[in-house]
Amino acid sequence: MPAEVRQFSCLSDNFGVLIHDPDSGTTIAIDVPDAKPYLEVLQETGWQLSHILITHHHWDHVQGLDELKAKTGAHVVGPELSRGKVAGFDETVADGDTITVGPYSVEAIGTPGHTLDQISWFFPELKIAHTGDTLFSLGCGRIFEGDAEMMWASLSTLKRKLPADTTIYCGHEYTQSNARFSLTIEPDNAALKARAAEVDTLRAAGKPTLPTTMAQELATNPFLRANEPSVKAALGMTAASDADVFAEIRTRKDKA
Ligand code: ZN
Ligand code: FE
């Protein structure tokens, strides 16, 4: 049977995500902004949580970890670089590690920039990735611990490693404000205009704008498109490096 995925909101604008394999019973949580909504979905579905994967050390991604682990006994895997910042890891990973989670192999892709420890989790058999606070729909995470060059390298890694048909989950519902900003960078991008309209419709109906796909983000997300000649031209930066164009877009977003 195919995997089942539940995405639900936590705190004000975080997402909770559960992936369940009906055959083995494996159930995986990615990040725990708050234990309560996780426990409610587990109760409702009857799924037994077996694993928790953590993307990075920020409180809004690990706040519910202790409680969820205590109540489910799940095996917790997090970034090696979060050690000392987050308690409760049973196993840690570094960039390039592949772990076995029930029937799935899961690749830990190091994507530093927002934080240095940030891991994006890729499930190749499911064609699903969770990009934490690195890649958002139409956006990317604020750069707190790394620099723009590091974040651009991380986004470039995701572009290289995640096939276009990968379904993308991430840490936050920020898409509507990201869309408004993205249109200031590429006002004539038809795919972006269509996505922005779709996002407005979804939000007006109280629905999430995630998951997205890599193909959609490649066509619309200005933070992934800093290498595109059309984006460079729109910014008057035709001769600039990709990383410098990315840095300019990130700076404009920070000021927006
Ligand atoms: Zn964060
Ligand atoms: Fe966050």
Side-chain angles (χ1 to χ4, degrees), residues 185-198:
I185 304 293
E186 286 197 283
D188 300 324
N189 179 331
L192 172 58
K193 285 194 274 188
R195 172 65 169 155
E198 180 197 32

Side-chain angles (χ1 to χ4, degrees), residues 56 58 60-61 114 133:
H56 67 297
H58 280 160
D60 63 312
H61 298 257
H114 175 73
D133 283 1

